[in-house]
Structure formats: C-alpha cells, structure tokens
Amino acid sequence: MVGLAVAVGIATGLLAVVLIAGIRWVQALAYGGPPRAFTVLLAPLIGGLLVGVLARRLPEIGGGGVTPVMTSIALHAGRMRPAVAPAKLLASAASLGTGASGGREGPIVQIGGSVASTLGRMFALDDERMRTLIAAGAGAGIAASFNAPLTGIFFAIEIVIGGFRIRSLQTVVVTCVVASVTARELVGSSIAYQLSEPPVFGDARELLAYAALGLAAAFIGVAFSRGEHLVAHTAERIRLWPPLRTALGALCVGAIVLVLPEVFGTGDHIPASLGGATEPVERLLEGGFGTGYTAAAYTAALLVGKLVATCLAVGTGSSVGSFAPALFMGGALGATVSHLSEGLFGASPTDAGGLALVGAAAVLAGSARAPLTAILLAFELTNDYAMVLPLMLATGIAVLVSERIDPDSMYTRALRERGIIYAEPHDLDLMQTVTVGEVMTTDPPTVAADLQLSALIDTFSTTGHHGFAVVERGPAGPRLVGIVTLTDLGHPDRRGLDGEGLTAADVATRRCVTVTPADPVFRALRRMAAIDVGRLPVVAADDHVHLVGMFRRADLVAAYQRALTRTLGSQQRRASSRLRNLAGVSFTELTVDQSAGVADAAIRDVQWPGKTVVTSIRRGAEVVVPSGDTVLQPGDEVTVLTDPGSVDAIHALMGGRGDANAP
C-alpha cells in the first residue's frame, strides 16, 4: 500500500502540473491577441461545446469531480473507468482555459481518484483498500493544487472517507506529501497564492467581527450549494442537445466576464488582455480593491458575479470544480466587510487581509462542511499561526449555521438526490445497489381515468387488488393521472364529492409521488415511508407522466435478494483477491456472450486452457456454485482462476467481454 501510495502521489502531482500547463496554454491560445469582446464570448462557447461533446462519451467528467469520486466509492467499491483521467484533464483544460468560472481542484481530485482506481484494480485490492487508495488520490489532488499536503490529508478524511480511520491515515499521508512535493518541484511555490504579508490578529474584541463574518459565510455557502443544484435541474429541462446546453452556460459566463473580468476561470493567472486584476484572489487576500464604499460595492459585485458564474458553469456541465470559487467568494465577502467598515468608521476595526482570509475559509467550510480542511488551508497559505482563533470561530459558526439551514453540502446534495446517504462504507444501505427498474412490476394493474365509480368498485372486488394506477391511453403509451386505492373509494366526501357520476380520475390521488427506473430502491423506500404508502408509480426519466411500471412492497423481496447476491459476490471477490500474491495466478471476471462458443455448453465439455478453474457463476439474482455438469448460459457472469498467459484465450471463449484481475 505504501508503494501504491507513492505511485499515486507521483502520478497525481505530475497530472496536476500538466493540468496547470494545459490551462495556461489554452488561455494563451484564446486570449493571447488584442482584447476583443467577441473573443470573450466566442472562446467559452467553443470550450463549452468541446467539453459537452466529451461528456457525451463519458458523462462523469461533466461538472465538478468530487461527487463522482464519492459515488464510485459508495456504489461501485471505488471502480472508476481508466479513461476518466485523460478525458477529465482535457475537458478541464478546455473549460478553465477558455474562461469557465470554477476551480482546477475538483477535476484533479477526480483525476487522482481515477489513477488510484486504475492502479488498485491492477493489483486486485479489496474494497476497503481500494476506497482508501482512491481517497488518498483525491486528497493528493488538493495537496498538489495548493502545495498544501495537510489540507489534502484532511480533505480526504473529512469529505471523501467521511471520518477518521487510522488504517487509512498512512496511505493518505504518503500520497498527499508525495503529490505536493512533485508538483512544487516542477512548478515552484507559485502553484499557490503568494501573500506579501501575513494577516494580523491583535485584539480579542475583533472576534465579534469574525463571528459575524462566519454567520454571513454560512448563508453564502448554502446559496452556492443550492445555486449549482438549481441551475443543473433547470438546464436538464431545456430541450437542447446536451453539448449545446454546456456551451450556452459557458456563453453566459463569458457575458459576466465582460463586465467583471476577475470572475474568469480559476481566479488566478487571469489574462492581462481582459483588463481586470491578473491575480484577483491574491489581491482580495491582501486587502481588496481600494477603500471605502466604492471598493465595497465592487467586491460585493465580484462575490455575486462569481457565485452566478460558477453556478452556471458547474450546473450546465463545464468540467470545473467548486473548491476554488468558494475561496474566491469568501475572500470577496471578507473584503466587502472590511471596506464597509472603512466607510462607516474611517478605518477597518480588523485587518483587511485577515477578514478576507477568514471569509475564504468560512465559505469553504460552510459549503463543503469541512472545517478542518478550511482551517488548515488558510494556515498553509499564510505559514502563520496568528489567525487560528478567528479561523476556528468563523468556520465553526459557518458549519453550525449552514447545517441547520441545509443538511447537504455541495458535494453530497447530488448523492442524496440519488438516494445515497454518504457515510462510512460499511454503513451503506444494501438497497442503494439495486435500481427500481431491476425489480419493478413492468405491467402494473391500471384503470382508465374515465371509468365510472361503480365499475371501479367492481374491479376492486373482482381482482382483489388494493390499488390501481389511473391512466389515460395515448399514442406514446399510458399517461399517469393518479393512484386510486381502497381508501379513496371509502371517502369521496372528503374531496367535496357526492359520489354520483364520479370517475376513477375524480377520486384518485393526482399529485402522487413517483420514481424513475434509474432511481435506487433506497430512494423509493424513503419516499414510501415518508407518505406511508405501499406502492409508487414508476415513470420515464424524460417524461414524468409516462407510466412504465409500479414499485410495490412485494418488489422489496426481489430487491433485497438481488442486493444480497451482489454483496455476496463482492465478498467472494474480496476473498479471491487475498490470493493475489500467489505467483502465476490471475482472477478474471467475464460475461458469457450470446454468440460465445461456451454458451449452452457444460463446463466439463469446454476446452479450457491449462491451469484454469471456474470458481463462481452469477446468474441474475443467484450465485451458482459450478460443477462439471453446470451449463453456461448467455449473460452468466463467470469468475475464472487461471494462468496470466491464458487470459486472452479465456476472453475469446467467453466472447471478448470481461475484466482481467477484477478486484
């Protein structure tokens, strides 16, 4: 694990340097000429279109990179596609280089996680070690981006792992230190913000101002988190080719950059041709933009502009992160408070740089719910312990208040929407691994919306069902009107109805809760429990009135069986991986293709390569212990123990699909 930690750290540090160089190269290409408003609009549009096209092939590279890493840990035991790292690097360089508002930290977190996942699969790590290595790769991305190894360590612990685990600490520490050293040796100290003078904290009475700053930061953090979510949902409803949606969002960001050049890209190393401050984050952390009310108005405009621009970029799919924008907004918030104090009292009662630094940490803590990460980042940026009390106070208040307003951080909101409660890996619900579409009733009992009440009562009596979906027939299939149950039949008067001449649509519950086939069963269970019902209509993801099935309490049995089978399969893979140190042994997982030569053949009749053993077969919701008489069927997921030199021959037998050395 230490060797893998070093390898992941070096690779992540190198890729962080490549990403930084790629962003600067794209900036020089797009904005190296004389300043033109046309360029500021056209360059983001082209960059957004390129990123959107890439995201069509690899959807996980769109938006920030932290949530996809957490999703892979929660649902897929840390398995990420190897193509994610190069694709994310290209997409992020295109997005940030052309001006999409965001940070490079989220992308490099995903790149580091992808590198760790690839190496972990090559060495057949078990689930726990795979999660640890991916968390280390994610933390290494933060460490390399800011030259801040302590920040990377606590980012991995607080956000990715979700708690302090001593067994994970060694791997995380080694990876973050190696990544930070690698990036610093190649790029130099300019990889992070360079402050000419550290901020000063003098009088304990200043803590009141910092406490107020922490309170304001909580609301900014929540607004940031909810804003990204709101834009993403709004963008999904726009019926455009997805790459065009990304390009449209980037175009809107370009329009904001025309007015406020400092919101361009990451907030540091901005092209001089744009006309604004070339290092706006450093300028904020060193005291802001001038003095008095005029400066306060401008930094407040920067705060709002950065908030809107980043929500547009992330929500429409630009490959950018949210970490650095939170720092920018916090710095702008602190600078605004400082400039307002100057206007009111003639001089700021606290150090302007100190307010900006603490504001940056507080907004980051409030939006990401990571107070230790935020405090340590501020400490590593200044190399000074003087601000630790204001930092602890403001970040503590920001986290406390933001959690009361909204339980989700900017990283966990999308997970909760999918029914995933991100916690310790061992605490994940089995029902998160099964989708509604796998177990739903595909031909549910329905009644027509215009069915008379008397006929509806007879239907209940003759069928014995407790509920029906009320539908209207259309050319595209049944359209959901509502749900009618026996309870609805007994109380039409509650709806102000007299019972005469009523139809099924009249007595049905029209505003019914629904799920889609892609939703995890966990989410369906939560919704059923929340409203105390025994069934939920399943509707198409792109048309929420097109009925495709019904999820019932009876379907939970099948869901639980399928989830348990997958868990047993995972346990079997972990047990198998313990043999990884045996010389000349390789585990391979393959799916029997319809046209494969082994399809419909007994295991004893297959001409297997030498030293080959079939160890297990997963068939639908059941795990089959193989014998010589077992007949292989198309779709069977077969685990084979074989000589490494025979892997290609096994692939040819099964039809060419599989995963060698699967963990």
Side-chain angles (χ1 to χ4, degrees), residues 7-19:
V8 171
I10 292 173
T12 304
L14 290 173
L15 290 171
V17 172
V18 172
L19 178 59

Side-chain angles (χ1 to χ4, degrees), residues 591-600 632-636 653-655 657:
T591 302
V592 178
D593 194 76
Q594 183 75 34
S595 59
V598 300
D600 300 320
L632 296 173
Q633 299 177 6
D636 283 354
L653 281 173
M654 296 289 184
R657 292 188 295 162

Side-chain angles (χ1 to χ4, degrees), residues 4 7-8 11-12 15 60 69 72 76-87 109-125 129-131 133-135 137-138 659-663:
L4 286 174
V8 171
T12 304
L15 290 171
E60 56 264 52
V69 171
S72 74
H76 307 302
R79 294 173 181 83
M80 301 170 67
R81 291 190 277 185
V84 166
V109 162
Q110 189 174 8
I111 291 169
S114 177
V115 169
S117 177
T118 301
L119 287 176
R121 297 181 74 176
M122 288 174 60
F123 286 86
L125 297 186
R129 292 185 179 185
M130 177 72 89
R131 292 185 182 104
L133 192 63
I134 288 178
D659 179 16
N661 292 319

Side-chain angles (χ1 to χ4, degrees), residues 261-264 267-272 274-281 283-284 289 298 302 328:
E262 287 83 3
V263 307
F264 178 97
D268 55 357
H269 303 295
I270 289 177
L274 295 178
T278 56
E279 303 286 347
V281 175
R283 189 164 173 181
L284 287 169
F289 293 73
Y298 192 72
L302 288 180
F328 186 109

Side-chain angles (χ1 to χ4, degrees), residues 267-462:
D268 55 357
H269 303 295
I270 289 177
S273 61
L274 295 178
T278 56
E279 303 286 347
V281 175
E282 285 185 14
R283 189 164 173 181
L284 287 169
L285 295 177
E286 290 182 341
F289 293 73
T291 59
Y293 293 127
T294 302
Y298 192 72
T299 52
L302 288 180
L303 168 61
V304 175
K306 192 67 174 178
L307 173 64
V308 174
T310 307
C311 289
L312 285 170
V314 176
T316 56
S318 289
S319 187
V320 297
S322 304
F323 196 100
L327 296 177
F328 186 109
M329 287 184 279
L333 175 65
T336 301
V337 172
S338 174
H339 296 322
L340 285 175
S341 300
E342 291 168 348
L344 290 172
F345 306 112
S348 177
T350 55
D351 181 73
L355 283 168
L357 179 70
V358 172
V363 170
L364 176 61
S367 56
R369 310 295 157 78
L372 291 177
T373 300
I375 291 170
L376 285 168
L377 177 59
F379 173 70
E380 290 189 288
L381 288 178
T382 60
N383 291 318
D384 189 5
Y385 188 74
M387 298 300 296
V388 68
L389 289 179
L391 283 167
M392 292 174 64
L393 177 64
T395 55
I397 291 175
V399 172
L400 177 69
V401 175
S402 60
E403 284 183 338
R404 296 299 183 274
I405 300 173
D406 190 339
D408 292 318
S409 73
M410 62 183 178
Y411 299 133
T412 61
R413 184 179 302 281
L415 296 176
R416 187 181 290 271
E417 280 234 319
R418 297 181 58 185
I420 303 169
I421 307 301
Y422 197 79
E424 292 286 331
H426 301 299
D427 296 335
L428 294 172
D429 197 302
L430 284 176
M431 295 295 103
Q432 297 186 32
T433 66
V434 181
T435 63
V436 170
E438 293 179 83
V439 295
M440 69 182 183
T441 301
T442 55
D443 187 20
T446 62
V447 294
D450 57 358
L451 184 68
Q452 294 297 309
L453 182 59
S454 57
L456 178 61
I457 294 173
D458 291 339
T459 303
F460 272 104
S461 178
T462 55

Side-chain angles (χ1 to χ4, degrees), residues 86-252:
K88 188 71 174 180
L89 195 151
L90 291 173
S92 298
S95 288
L96 294 169
T98 56
S101 177
R104 62 174 183 262
E105 298 76 25
I108 198 62
V109 162
Q110 189 174 8
I111 291 169
S114 177
V115 169
S117 177
T118 301
L119 287 176
R121 297 181 74 176
M122 288 174 60
F123 286 86
L125 297 186
D126 58 44
D127 289 358
E128 181 177 356
R129 292 185 179 185
M130 177 72 89
R131 292 185 182 104
T132 297
L133 192 63
I134 288 178
I142 296 294
S145 293
F146 285 105
N147 186 24
L150 284 176
T151 303
I153 291 167
F154 277 88
F155 178 87
I157 291 172
E158 281 192 297
I159 295 177
V160 183
I161 295 178
F164 189 89
R165 304 182 68 187
I166 195 66
R167 286 178 295 179
S168 304
L169 187 59
Q170 175 179 305
T171 303
V172 172
V173 168
V174 170
T175 308
C176 291
V177 170
V178 171
S180 180
V181 171
T182 301
R184 182 174 59 192
E185 288 301 311
L186 293 174
V187 179
S189 59
S190 61
I191 195 172
Y193 309 124
Q194 302 295 303
L195 305 185
S196 57
E197 293 183 6
V200 178
F201 170 65
D203 194 327
R205 289 173 293 183
E206 296 176 8
L207 290 175
L208 291 175
Y210 286 112
L213 182 62
L215 181 63
F219 289 95
I220 298 299
V222 171
F224 185 30
S225 174
R226 289 185 175 179
E228 289 184 349
H229 175 75
L230 176 63
V231 172
H233 273 258
T234 304
E236 288 175 359
R237 296 190 182 98
I238 300 175
R239 295 192 175 276
L240 284 176
W241 187 44
L244 285 179
R245 288 203 298 258
T246 305
L248 181 61
L251 178 65
C252 293

